């Protein structure tokens, strides 16, 4: 498997971790909306890249 694909999957998992991390009750609670936004953006961007790579592979244009 291509290392770039594994890196993109790791980025998606990191985005999920940023969304799910419990920050309530800590000094980082004020940045919870920012971490959620960054997590959502990471998931969307890396997922779109994986979809693009899959389409290019199916069309034979690597």
């Amino acid at each position: 498997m291509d290392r770039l694909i594994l890196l993109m999957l790791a980025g998606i998992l990191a985005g999920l971790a940023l969304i799910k991390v419990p920050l309530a009750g800590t000094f980082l609670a004020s940045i919870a909306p920012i971490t959620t936004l960054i997590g959502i953006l990471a998931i969307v961007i890396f997922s779109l890249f994986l979809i693009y790579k899959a389409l290019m592979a199916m069309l034979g244009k690597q």
Side-chain angles (χ1 to χ4, degrees):
M1 187 176 266
D2 192 19
R3 285 185 153 195
L4 183 63
I5 301 300
L6 290 175
L7 184 62
M8 294 300 129
L9 289 174
I12 292 171
L13 289 176
L16 283 172
L18 276 174
I19 290 174
K20 296 291 183 178
V21 66
L23 295 176
T26 67
F27 69 96
L28 295 174
S30 63
I31 64 166
I34 296 170
T35 59
T36 303
L37 179 66
I38 292 171
I40 291 170
L41 286 175
I43 293 170
V44 169
I45 291 170
F46 291 137
S47 296
L48 288 175
F49 181 78
L50 285 176
I51 291 169
Y52 171 76
K53 291 292 278 187
L55 287 174
M56 290 298 114
M58 287 192 307
L59 296 174
K61 299 177 182 176
Q62 295 181 4

